Amino acid sequence: MTYDVAIIGGGPAGYTAAEKAGKGGLSTILFEKNALGGVCLNEGCVPTKTLLYSAKVYDTIKHAPKYAVSAENAAFDYAKIIARKNKVVKKLTAGIRMKMKESGVEVVAGEAFIQGRTEDGTITLTCGEQTYEARHLLICTGSETVIPPIPGLAETEYWTSREALQSKELPKSLIIIGGGVIGMEFASFFHSMGTEVIVVEMLDKILGAMDKELSDMLQAEYAKRGVKFYLGHKVTAVHGTEVSVEKNGETLTLQGEKILLSVGRRPVTKGFGLENLGVEPFRNGVKVNEYMQTSLPNVYACGDITAFSLLAHTAVSEAEVAIDHILGQTRAMSYRAIPGVVYTNPEIAGVGQTEEELQANGTPYTVKKIPMAFSGRFVAENEMGNGICKLILDGEGTLIGAHLLGNPASELIVIAGIAIEKGMKAEEITSFVFPHPTVGEILKEALG
C-alpha cells in the first residue's frame, strides 16, 4: 500500500499533522520510536507545568496569611507530586492514541528510516523488517538536549530535564547551568520545594531573547527569594558536585548536590536517513518555505527540525499549514505573533518584537507601559505583588509587541498575539469591551 502521508515523529507537529490528515481523508501512517506526545508531553511542556502547578499551590498555602486565611504547617509529598505528574502524562498520551484511532491513522511503534525517493517522487521508508511507501513525507523529528563539551562533564552524573523530571527525591542544593526558559522553570520549581538553587548563565541576562527589562525584574524577584545568579559566567569545568565558572579572568568554584544541564536544544537530523533525500539545510535543521515544504516539494518539515522556533505551539501551527497545503489549500505559515511563555511564579510572556530587536534594527517605536497593579483583579489576587504590562506600537500606532510579567501572563498574551497577527491599532483594541474585573483589562489600560 502507498500512503498519502507518512509522518516521522509523534510529537506536537507529528500527531497534529496525522489527525488533520486522517480527518481530511488522507491515508496516513505515523512512526514514533518512543512515546506519542514527543518531548513536549513526556519530558517537557506538560510534566514541567504539572510540577510547577503543585509548587504554585504550595507557595499559595505558605502565603495564605496574606489573604487572611490560616494555613499552618503546609507540607507536600514529593513522591506523590511525581506520581501525579506521571498520571497526567499517561492520561494525555492515551488521549493522543485515541485521536489517532478516531482519525484512522496507522501508528507504528518503531524507528523509521528513509531509504530515498523513486523516480516518480514516492518516498520509501523502512521500520524493522517492513517497507512502506508514501506520496508525501512529513519530517517531525523534534529536538534533543545540547550537551556542550565542558571538561569533566562526561565523567559527572548530571541531570538534563529528563532526569530532573524522573527523580523521586529532592536535592538539597542544585546548580542549573543555563538561565533560559527551561533553566528558569526548573529554578522556580525546585526553589519552591525548598532546594537551594544556583543559576549560571553565560549571557548577562536570563531568558535569552525575551524582553530585557522584564527578564531583569523576574531575576530580581527570584534573587530576593534566595536564588543565586551568576550571570556573564562561563562554565569551565565540572567535577562531581563542583562547577568551576569564570568571569573577567576570575574563577569561582560552586558546590551543589545535583547539577542540571539546561543550555538549549537542537534539531534531531541524524539516525533516520535524512541524508538520503538531500534536502536543503538551514542553520542546524532543514530549510522550508511558507507552506513547510523542503527543497523537495512532496517532503515537508514541521516543528523543531526547521530550526526556527523550537516551541510546541509553533510546531502545531506548522503541521496544520503543511497538511492544508497537501489538501490543496494555500494558507502560509506566519511567524509574526508566536508567543513565548515562561511558567515561573510570577509568569512572564512575550509576543511580537522586543525593544532590543527594534533598537538593533533602528526601527522607531513607542512604548506604553504600566504596572500590573493598575488592574483591580490583579491587586485582589496578588497581595504585595506587582508586575508590568509593556506594549510596543509602531509609528502608525499598530501593536507590534507585547510583554507581560505577572500572573496570568500565559493566558493574557494570546489577546495581544491575535491583535499583532491582525495588525490592529491601539484604538481598535481599546474599542473592545473587556470584562471587569479581569487582569486582562490591563491591556486596555496600558493603551488608554
Side-chain angles (χ1 to χ4, degrees), residues 158-212:
Y158 61 89
W159 279 355
T160 64
S161 57
R162 179 184 293 124
E163 290 78 24
L165 288 168
Q166 291 175 343
S167 177
K168 295 181 180 179
E169 293 184 2
L170 274 173
K172 291 183 175 61
S173 57
L174 176 67
I175 299 175
I176 301 176
I177 302 175
V181 175
I182 299 172
M184 281 307 300
E185 288 186 350
F186 276 115
S188 176
F189 171 72
F190 282 107
H191 175 264
S192 292
M193 294 292 99
T195 297
E196 293 181 13
V197 176
I198 296 173
V199 176
V200 181
E201 171 55 55
M202 192 156 58
L203 300 177
D204 62 358
K205 68 180 286 289
I206 62 171
L207 301 180
M210 295 197 79
D211 181 271
K212 187 176 189 305

Side-chain angles (χ1 to χ4, degrees), residues 49-95:
K49 279 54 184 180
T50 306
L51 296 184
L52 283 164
Y53 189 75
S54 290
K56 186 176 181 180
V57 171
Y58 181 53
D59 281 338
T60 301
I61 294 172
K62 286 190 296 183
H63 296 104
K66 287 183 180 180
Y67 303 92
V69 175
S70 177
E72 298 180 359
N73 302 318
F76 62 86
D77 186 322
Y78 191 68
K80 289 184 178 179
I81 288 176
I82 298 299
R84 177 177 178 272
K85 178 264 296 181
N86 294 337
K87 183 181 71 173
V88 170
V89 170
K90 185 177 180 180
K91 178 179 180 179
L92 295 177
T93 301

Side-chain angles (χ1 to χ4, degrees), residues 103-438:
S103 304
V105 176
E106 182 178 344
V107 178
V108 177
E111 188 167 9
F113 191 86
I114 302 167
Q115 297 296 336
R117 296 168 83 230
T118 62
E119 289 186 5
D120 67 354
T122 300
I123 309 295
T124 303
L125 309 98
T126 55
C127 184
E129 301 295 323
Q130 298 294 317
T131 299
Y132 304 86
E133 291 186 341
R135 297 180 183 88
H136 302 87
L137 173 66
L138 266 70
I139 304 171
C140 309
T141 49
S143 61
E144 60 189 0
T145 300
V146 172
I147 309 296
I150 300 173
L153 187 63
E155 295 75 45
T156 300
E157 191 176 323
Y158 61 89
W159 279 355
T160 64
S161 57
R162 179 184 293 124
E163 290 78 24
L165 288 168
Q166 291 175 343
S167 177
K168 295 181 180 179
E169 293 184 2
L170 274 173
K172 291 183 175 61
S173 57
L174 176 67
I175 299 175
I176 301 176
I177 302 175
V181 175
I182 299 172
M184 281 307 300
E185 288 186 350
F186 276 115
S188 176
F189 171 72
F190 282 107
H191 175 264
S192 292
M193 294 292 99
T195 297
E196 293 181 13
V197 176
I198 296 173
V199 176
V200 181
E201 171 55 55
M202 192 156 58
L203 300 177
D204 62 358
K205 68 180 286 289
I206 62 171
L207 301 180
M210 295 197 79
D211 181 271
K212 187 176 189 305
E213 181 181 10
L214 274 64
S215 298
D216 288 347
M217 289 176 66
L218 184 69
Q219 180 208 329
E221 174 62 28
Y222 272 90
K224 184 173 69 175
R225 297 179 190 181
V227 174
K228 296 179 181 178
F229 291 90
Y230 291 84
L231 303 184
H233 283 72
K234 179 181 179 181
V235 176
T236 56
V238 174
H239 296 291
T241 58
E242 295 184 348
V243 176
S244 298
V245 299
E246 183 269 334
K247 182 178 183 180
N248 299 329
E250 295 185 8
T251 301
L252 295 172
T253 299
L254 309 175
Q255 294 274 355
E257 183 182 331
K258 289 290 183 182
I259 297 169
L260 172 58
L261 189 65
S262 177
V263 298
R265 300 185 65 83
R266 63 184 172 208
V268 174
T269 58
K270 300 185 184 301
F272 59 94
L274 180 62
E275 63 278 5
N276 293 330
L277 292 177
V279 295
E280 186 177 348
F282 172 71
R283 296 177 181 168
N284 55 354
V286 172
K287 185 176 181 179
V288 294
N289 64 13
E290 66 269 34
Y291 305 117
M292 310 316 298
Q293 288 173 295
T294 67
S295 52
L296 299 176
N298 67 331
V299 177
Y300 296 72
C302 307
D304 296 354
I305 186 71
T306 65
F308 189 78
S309 172
L310 277 66
L311 297 169
H313 42 281
T314 305
V316 167
S317 188
E318 290 173 339
E320 292 170 343
V321 167
I323 297 302
D324 277 346
H325 192 254
I326 292 172
L327 289 170
Q329 301 176 35
T330 55
R331 177 170 71 97
M333 179 63 196
S334 172
Y335 296 98
R336 186 177 179 181
I338 302 293
V341 180
V342 189
Y343 296 84
T344 45
N345 188 18
E347 297 174 344
I348 181 172
V351 63
Q353 295 183 282
T354 64
E355 284 196 81
E356 291 73 37
E357 290 172 334
L358 294 167
Q359 290 167 3
N361 296 330
T363 304
Y365 65 92
T366 301
V367 171
K368 300 283 188 176
K369 180 172 62 177
I370 60 173
M372 294 293 280
F374 273 63
S375 160
R377 175 77 176 271
F378 183 87
V379 173
E381 296 181 353
N382 294 270
E383 180 68 24
M384 298 179 66
N386 207 342
I388 191 169
C389 173
K390 176 192 285 191
L391 303 179
I392 304 175
L393 307 174
D394 68 9
E396 298 180 351
T398 301
L399 186 67
I400 57 173
H403 307 279
L404 302 169
L405 173 63
N407 298 332
S410 61
E411 301 293 343
L412 304 183
I413 202 65
V414 67
I415 302 172
I418 292 171
I420 291 172
E421 182 64 37
K422 296 300 182 182
M424 290 185 181
K425 295 184 182 298
E427 58 266 27
E428 291 180 83
I429 300 169
T430 56
S431 70
F432 292 120
V433 178
F434 285 70
H436 177 80
T438 59

